Amino acid sequence: MTAVQVPGTPLIEAGQLVSTSPATGAEAGRLPVASDADVRRAVERARAAGEWWAGLGFTGRRARLLRWRALLAKRIEQLAELVHVEGGKPVADAIVEIVTAIEHIDWAARNAARVLGPRRVRSRLILAEFSGHLEYQPYGVVGVIGPWNYPVFTPIGSAAYALAAGNAVVLKPSEYTPATGQWLVDSFAEVVPEQPVFTTVHGLGDVGAALCRSGVGKVAFTGSTATARKVMAACAETLTPVLIEGGGKDAMIVDSDADLDAAAEACVWGGMTNAGQTCIGIERVYAVDPVFDAFVDKVVTRAGRLTVGPEGTDIGPITMPGQVDVIRRHIDAAIASGGRAVLGGPDAVQPPYVHPTVLVDVPEESAAVREETFGPTLTISRVRDADEAVTRANALPYGLGGSVFGRRRAVAIARRLRSGMASVNSSLTFAGMSTLPFGGVGDSGFGRIHGEDGLREFARAKAITRRRARSLLPSMTFERTPTDVARLVKVIKTMYGR
Ligand code: NDP
């Protein structure tokens, strides 16, 4: 860290992490940096709190989580303002993010008992003398490591589900958005003052690494694929299970029967909301030849209308100062390799802002097509047909989300995308549907947050069998006789030998 501070670059001063606005440099918050010992202590305290929390049962937890979501809803403007100041995103984008998070807390609270609670499962003819029981028990403490780009939605996507499942949560927010993470935890403590069920540890990446090694029951990581590898390596030392929500390079496919106005609108929003700093943001588009020119025109018209700046605009600053260099490199390399900027281009990069940029004719090997850009930029490529679009969309190691515009074949194309999620005739919408699981494949990670899968991700299946009658075909005992075994063979041949 340098003493001369670039706005938005976190600074450590007298043991405090100082978070500043990327637009103005105004201080957004000061949080104590945790040492390794602090992290261990936080996890130990959380372990005791987690036992108390688990003991409340689904009903007790549901009531408290619903009170928390009510508090968030009441204070939505206050939280949105903090997210805006600390991360730079427009207030309207912050509101949409918080609304989505509130929806997830509500769903997780209301559905945890149904999805995770004890239930009987059917027994079969083999071992029919036993009943089967299944329930999902919490891990104890879940460590949540979050990024800065959606500092409310991403931690809550894991934390709300982990809490509803009966775990305590220790959150390590990004060093770029610690004040927002602290706000979430403080608001939770207002409705659950009894025990430190949801707490934070602050600092740089080493604090996240310490959390991985702290003895938590599971780590839920959301961030870049490069850091995900380090997190997995640290968790491997203690066989700590890990959920990875990694990066992406999501594609949109525009088929010949698409509504082009709707596609252009969703493309510009999906690619440029939050200045393009969205894991599931649309970064590349494959439009089929007959509609390509008209589609590009519509995208350029819409994207060209977006306003850029610190207040009251569509696009705010790039949150992480260093990301501006990545965006610049991608635009420059795209143009150097034969691409054309039909909107924006190299001059669009005016730190801390990047103006909307639309690139065409960019070779598929270019960084702008292959790597996560995380800026308000789009590449649009002409393809022969939907098959070629799918092949190109699926050609990268990433596989997070995606979008398809079209009528007749759109759902079939969405199914063929190598991704964890897809939206048909919209973009990014799967993230807000709390009933659907969220997560990727390949370099975008594994495991799922949200929905029923998201609840199960934060609990261990516990299987119990219970004897209800004497065994007619004793087999799992040394008391069995050769006749019992012969009878077993006969039964299995009758049942399965055909
Ligand atoms: P990073 O991977 O840089 O950081 C993510 C978190 O990990 C931060 O809290 C960071 O702390 C922490 N961290 C850094 N090093 C370590 C380490 N060695 N061990 C443990 N934790 C560590 O990602 P960004 O914050 O830059 O977020 C952007 C990325 O997140 C993009 O790739 C984006 O696609 C992805 N993302 C994925 C989502 C998904 O759901 N799949 C959703 C949102 C974003 P610190 O900030 O202090 O370095």
Side-chain angles (χ1 to χ4, degrees):
M1 293 292 149
T2 56
V4 185
Q5 202 184 4
V6 177
T9 306
L11 176 78
I12 291 180
E13 216 172 62
Q16 303 261 310
L17 182 59
V18 185
S19 170
T20 55
S21 156
T24 64
E27 190 172 314
R30 236 165 231 260
L31 289 311
V33 174
S35 65
D36 277 13
D38 293 334
V39 174
R40 274 197 305 278
R41 261 195 300 276
V43 171
E44 268 154 37
R45 287 173 66 227
R47 191 164 290 123
E51 279 174 29
W52 171 81
W53 179 246
L56 291 178
F58 290 108
T59 316
R61 292 195 297 270
R62 172 188 155 125
R64 286 165 172 81
L65 284 166
L66 291 179
R67 284 213 295 278
W68 184 40
R69 70 94 168 88
L71 195 65
L72 260 60
K74 278 188 211 128
R75 297 192 190 152
I76 189 165
E77 292 95 343
Q78 185 196 33
L79 179 56
E81 186 57 28
L82 175 60
V83 171
H84 164 63
V85 170
E86 189 171 45
K89 75 174 59 172
V91 172
D93 279 349
I95 295 273
V96 173
E97 172 181 354
I98 300 163
V99 165
T100 314
I102 289 170
E103 162 63 22
H104 282 291
I105 299 172
D106 187 77
W107 191 86
R110 291 181 189 282
N111 288 278
R114 175 181 64 79
V115 177
L116 305 176
R119 82 197 58 166
R120 284 279 290 270
V121 296
R122 251 168 214 253
S123 34
R124 308 238 300 162
L125 195 57
I126 299 293
L127 297 179
E129 67 276 31
F130 296 92
S131 58
H133 303 256
L134 172 62
E135 65 184 71
Y136 292 84
Q137 299 180 343
Y139 282 96
V141 184
V142 170
V144 173
I145 300 176
W148 46 267
N149 61 338
Y150 286 85
V152 176
F153 168 77
T154 54
I156 283 184
S158 293
Y161 289 79
L163 289 165
N167 302 280
V169 170
V170 178
L171 166 67
K172 151 67 179 85
S174 165
E175 68 197 62
Y176 291 91
T177 51
T180 303
Q182 192 60 43
W183 192 101
L184 294 175
V185 158
D186 290 346
S187 63
F188 185 85
E190 281 187 49
V191 297
V192 185
E194 299 94 331
Q195 298 265 353
V197 171
F198 184 23
T199 52
T200 41
V201 286
H202 293 286
L204 311 185
D206 58 314
V207 176
L211 187 57
C212 296
R213 296 190 170 95
S214 64
V216 292
K218 183 157 190 168
V219 169
F221 171 82
T222 307
S224 66
T225 305
T227 309
R229 293 195 168 92
K230 294 185 196 158
V231 165
M232 277 191 78
C235 288
E237 290 170 19
T238 46
L239 279 192
T240 302
V242 56
L243 157 83
I244 299 288
E245 295 290 349
K249 187 76 184 171
D250 288 357
M252 173 183 277
I253 294 177
V254 184
D255 203 2
S256 52
D257 55 357
D259 173 341
L260 295 187
D261 287 303
E265 183 204 325
C267 175
V268 171
W269 189 73
M272 297 185 183
T273 179
N274 197 22
Q277 306 167 109
T278 304
C279 54
I280 48 170
I282 302 297
E283 296 215 355
R284 22 180 210 138
V285 185
Y286 298 102
V288 299
D289 180 61
V291 300
F292 178 86
D293 293 322
F295 174 73
V296 170
D297 281 351
K298 288 177 190 291
V299 168
V300 167
T301 304
R302 281 184 161 75
R305 286 202 294 255
L306 299 182
T307 55
V308 181
E311 296 295 335
T313 56
D314 299 309
I315 296 183
I318 298 303
T319 306
M320 241 185 357
Q323 193 66 28
V324 173
D325 296 330
V326 176
I327 301 167
R328 185 187 287 114
R329 176 168 63 80
H330 286 193
I331 296 175
D332 289 350
I335 287 171
S337 60
R340 281 186 300 124
V342 286
L343 180 71
D347 295 343
V349 183
Q350 297 167 19
Y353 301 98
V354 177
H355 291 254
T357 290
V358 179
L359 302 161
V360 296
D361 300 337
V362 181
E364 289 292 286
E365 317 75 65
S366 179
V369 178
R370 295 196 65 83
E371 297 170 19
E372 200 174 37
T373 307
F374 245 48
T377 65
L378 289 162
T379 63
I380 311 183
S381 305
R382 187 192 299 268
V383 286
R384 214 174 33 251
D385 54 22
D387 285 343
E388 186 185 352
V390 170
T391 306
R392 291 217 210 169
N394 288 349
L396 298 189
Y398 287 124
L400 196 50
S403 163
V404 182
F405 269 79
R407 292 199 176 83
R408 219 158 38 82
R409 295 174 291 253
V411 171
I413 295 168
R415 285 209 181 99
R416 289 169 60 200
L417 282 179
R418 180 181 161 277
S419 68
M421 304 154 295
S423 331
V424 171
N425 295 333
S426 67
S427 59
L428 321 190
T429 39
F430 45 74
M433 201 174 278
S434 49
T435 43
L436 278 177
F438 182 104
V441 305
D443 278 8
S444 296
F446 51 81
R448 294 292 180 265
I449 54 173
H450 306 171
E452 296 189 1
D453 297 85
L455 282 168
R456 286 193 203 100
E457 193 71 45
F458 295 106
R460 300 183 178 104
K462 178 67 177 272
I464 299 175
T465 52
R466 184 175 177 190
R467 182 180 288 284
R468 56 183 175 189
R470 195 172 61 81
S471 295
L472 295 176
L473 265 177
S475 59
M476 299 172 102
T477 166
F478 288 119
E479 306 297 313
R480 71 193 166 206
T481 63
T483 315
D484 290 331
V485 176
R487 244 195 272 145
L488 191 62
V489 168
K490 200 166 164 193
V491 168
I492 212 73
K493 283 189 173 169
T494 312
M495 284 172 63
Y496 301 128
R498 284 165 284 138

